[in-house]
Amino acid sequence: MKTKTQLASALVFLFGLLMAFTWSDGVLAEEGDEAYAKGGAQDCMECHDTQPTTLVLHTPHAMAGDARTPFASQECESCHGPSSDHMRKVPGELIPPPPKVVFGQNSITPIEDQNEVCMSCHEGGLRINWTGSEHHSGDVACATCHTVHALKDPVLVKQSQDEVCYACHVEQKAQSFRRSRHPIKEGKVTCSDCHNPHGSFGPTLLKYSNVNETCYSCHTEKRGPFLWEHAPVRDDCTNCHTPHGSSQPRLLKIRTPYLCQQCHIEAFHPSTLYSGDDILPFGAGERILAKGCLNCHPKVHGSNHPGGVRLTR
Ligand code: HEC
Ligand code: HEC
Ligand code: HEC
Ligand code: HEC
Ligand code: HEC
Ligand code: HEC
Ligand code: HEC
Ligand code: HEC
Ligand code: HEC
Ligand code: HEC
């Protein structure tokens, strides 16, 4: 009889020891304590040993040999904060208290506090204009665009970046289905070719100081200078083009001749607005049919021909 009770109490003791080991690392912190887990990542992995959580181990963040990385110091808790409390079993509670920092757009941790963790290592560089930028003041978390627990963060991959942005920017998503567009779906151009989502010196989070500089970064032949310039081109490409998609060919905002006639109502050849009434044989058909004004003025971005003053060659 006696040995049976002894065995039972020994079992209870062992079970208690096991629980203590699982829910704490033995000499664990009291409630409210802000202590790091004694065993570092190993402690966390006791419970969090599944994907996607473990994928972080294969990313640059887990390069423990690089002194700048989270894994060179507090490992998981370099980002999630001192979380030994989280490993403490609260009697009667099924789930443990949350770790110090929980990431995500709808997390219990204020976005400002989450971003502070990331910025403690990533200030400067592309993020030199983060403070006060549209996404900063729009309360967007770093972790909303970035996925840390992934082999490759989707927002850093050309083929998948646009989908991350479209989650919020539905208007640009709609425009991406129009007939004329940049080859974004094909992964040849991506949002961050033109925008710096972390903030910029230019308007509209543009990567360069203005619209034209941004466009010239790829369409260098449009930079000129030309012998005969066309003023609206030098001024701003978006006088005629829209960047994200158009139902007109060549990303034009509206079709020619109406595009040109927004400004050239008084061209000395007929100074009237062209309309459907002008269809041949009675009217100025060649000015509105097919490519309209472009039939005779193809050098709309500027001309280097000595006789190209009217942008005709
Ligand atoms: C004893 C098991 C256990 C250990 C050890 C553990 N966790 Fe957890 N953790 C859990 C459970 C259970 C949940 C789920 C809670 C829930 O569903 O809200 C969780 C949830 C989380 C979450 C998500 C919180 C949320 O609200 O979405 C994070 C982040 C996290 N743990 C980080 C850590 C880190 C970092 C460590 C190491 C310091 C760690 N965990 C150690 C059991 C553990
Ligand atoms: C303890 C410092 C530290 C913290 C905290 C930290 N990072 Fe990093 N991060 C690094 C280092 C170091 C690298 C590697 C940089 C390199 O190789 O030049 C890196 C790389 C990255 C990269 C590039 C990854 C790649 O695949 O090229 C991204 C994106 C990133 N971090 C985002 C974040 C986000 C978001 C947070 C907050 C949730 C964060 N980091 C928190 C240090 C940190
Ligand atoms: C609106 C989406 C978005 C938000 C919010 C965002 N990022 Fe990024 N991040 C990107 C994109 C897109 C890239 C790729 C940029 C490129 O290739 O030019 C990137 C690249 C990075 C990189 C790798 C390139 C580098 O700078 O070395 C790091 C690190 C990074 N972001 C950190 C952060 C941090 C820290 C925050 C929060 C303060 C943050 N990001 C907020 C979209 C975002
Ligand atoms: C560079 C900062 C960073 C490091 C290091 C880090 N995490 Fe996370 N963790 C995050 C971010 C950001 C999220 C939000 C989801 C995401 O980005 O993948 C997250 C989400 C989580 C979640 C919620 C479920 C999930 O996977 O989305 C758990 C659990 C978690 N982390 C545990 C851990 C553990 C365990 C470690 C160490 C092995 C760790 N984290 C290391 C930043 C980090
Ligand atoms: C969580 C939602 C969210 C995600 C994801 C997001 N944005 Fe934003 N974005 C916003 C908010 C909020 C603003 C500021 C309010 C506004 O202007 O609509 C903003 C503003 C912008 C602006 C400036 C708009 C202006 O009128 O000046 C640009 C450009 C932009 N985002 C590009 C991006 C790109 C590129 C990505 C992906 C890398 C992205 N956003 C991902 C929410 C988001
Ligand atoms: C070819 C360059 C280019 C690319 C690629 C690009 N944008 Fe833009 N974006 C611009 C320009 C230029 C503006 C400013 C438009 C203006 O001033 O009329 C702009 C403006 C915006 C705005 C502000 C609202 C608006 O439409 O004026 C948002 C939001 C935006 N872009 C999001 C995105 C997202 C998301 C992606 C990727 C899917 C993206 N952009 C890709 C050049 C680009
Ligand atoms: C990252 C490089 C890049 C940047 C920056 C860029 N473009 Fe493009 N653009 C392309 C590529 C690639 C194509 C497709 C060329 C092709 O299909 O032959 C293209 C095509 C075009 C077209 C023709 C579209 C069609 O339907 O044929 C126009 C117009 C255009 N871009 C205008 C602009 C304007 C305006 C800007 C600045 C707001 C800009 N681009 C910035 C790379 C870029
Ligand atoms: C005055 C209106 C106007 C302005 C401003 C303008 N474009 Fe265009 N663009 C056009 C027209 C019209 C076409 C179509 C030409 C055709 O179909 O022959 C075109 C075609 C294009 C094309 C595709 C065909 C080609 O020539 O490569 C690109 C790329 C382009 N524009 C880039 C730009 C850039 C970059 C800027 C700013 C520096 C700009 N455009 C400013 C009217 C304009
Ligand atoms: C946003 C206004 C605007 C748009 C749109 C526009 N232009 Fe112009 N265009 C101008 C200005 C301003 C000049 C310079 C006039 C001057 O120097 O007297 C000019 C000059 C010209 C000239 C040379 C005339 C001269 O006297 O040297 C031609 C030809 C011309 N544009 C054709 C076109 C065509 C074709 C289109 C349509 C594809 C077009 N323009 C669209 C504003 C515009
Ligand atoms: C059939 C060919 C042709 C078509 C079509 C045409 N133009 Fe012209 N345009 C010319 C020629 C040729 C000149 C130069 C006349 C000269 O140098 O004396 C000219 C001159 C101009 C000028 C400069 C003179 C001025 O009045 O300032 C502008 C601006 C102009 N065209 C705009 C347009 C617009 C806008 C359209 C479309 C609505 C258009 N053109 C269609 C042939 C054409």
Side-chain angles (χ1 to χ4, degrees):
M1 271 323 274
K2 204 178 173 197
T3 40
K4 251 188 180 171
T5 337
Q6 269 175 347
L7 193 71
S9 53
L11 272 176
V12 166
F13 177 73
L14 277 176
F15 184 71
L17 211 73
L18 188 75
M19 284 304 290
F21 186 75
T22 323
W23 286 106
S24 74
D25 61 350
V27 247
L28 241 207
E30 297 298 311
E31 189 176 3
D33 248 21
E34 295 212 336
Y36 288 106
K38 296 260 173 349
Q42 282 313 320
D43 276 4
C44 310
M45 308 275 278
E46 290 276 339
C47 300
H48 297 292
D49 59 351
T50 54
Q51 291 189 359
T53 312
T54 51
L55 294 178
V56 70
L57 301 174
H58 307 286
T59 66
H61 278 137
M63 298 287 177
D66 180 345
R68 304 168 302 153
T69 63
F71 271 69
S73 49
Q74 304 298 337
E75 308 189 317
C76 313
E77 293 164 285
S78 298
C79 291
H80 290 289
S83 296
S84 58
D85 213 25
H86 164 64
M87 301 193 298
R88 190 174 46 84
K89 175 88 177 118
V90 179
E93 295 282 336
L94 279 178
I95 52 169
K100 183 96 163 78
V101 180
V102 180
F103 294 94
Q105 194 65 29
N106 302 313
S107 154
I108 47 166
T109 308
I111 285 170
E112 205 61 42
D113 297 351
Q114 293 177 40
N115 290 357
E116 206 173 281
V117 171
C118 311
M119 283 299 251
S120 69
C121 295
H122 291 295
E123 211 163 18
L126 285 179
R127 284 154 302 281
I128 190 111
N129 292 309
W130 171 256
T131 307
S133 72
E134 282 85 339
H135 286 135
H136 176 235
S137 38
D139 231 14
V140 180
C142 310
T144 303
C145 289
H146 289 287
T147 310
V148 160
H149 293 273
L151 286 181
K152 190 70 196 164
D153 182 350
V155 86
L156 300 181
V157 179
K158 274 199 167 195
Q159 280 78 2
S160 48
Q161 182 188 101
D162 56 329
E163 288 302 332
V164 176
C165 311
Y166 291 154
C168 297
H169 295 291
V170 287
E171 198 185 321
Q172 281 68 30
K173 179 171 187 170
Q175 289 168 332
S176 79
F177 291 111
R178 299 199 177 146
R179 69 181 258 207
S180 172
R181 53 179 181 80
H182 273 102
I184 290 180
K185 286 194 214 307
E186 293 76 3
K188 289 184 187 155
V189 174
T190 191
C191 314
S192 63
D193 283 332
C194 294
H195 295 287
N196 180 351
H198 307 109
S200 78
F201 291 104
T204 337
L205 290 178
L206 286 177
K207 201 170 160 183
Y208 301 91
S209 55
N210 58 43
V211 170
N212 279 33
E213 284 304 322
T214 306
C215 308
Y216 297 152
S217 70
C218 293
H219 299 289
T220 44
E221 77 288 354
K222 301 285 188 282
R223 184 188 283 274
F226 296 104
L227 188 53
W228 309 109
E229 298 278 2
H230 191 194
V233 176
R234 216 35 83 224
D235 173 47
D236 194 324
C237 308
T238 58
N239 280 324
C240 300
H241 294 289
T242 174
H244 306 116
S246 166
S247 334
Q248 306 304 327
R250 300 299 195 193
L251 284 169
L252 291 173
K253 285 166 113 172
I254 53 173
R255 60 172 289 244
T256 54
Y258 308 107
L259 176 71
C260 316
Q261 289 182 326
Q262 291 177 110
C263 302
H264 294 292
I265 33 170
E266 303 259 8
F268 80 85
H269 47 67
S271 60
T272 49
L273 272 172
Y274 299 122
S275 72
D277 296 340
D278 295 327
I279 301 284
L280 285 173
F282 311 111
E286 75 276 23
R287 296 189 186 119
I288 73 155
L289 289 175
K291 296 172 83 180
C293 320
L294 297 171
N295 288 325
C296 301
H297 300 286
K299 292 292 178 194
V300 68
H301 300 105
S303 167
N304 276 324
H305 191 285
V309 56
R310 306 298 192 205
L311 310 176
T312 50
R313 51 191 161 174

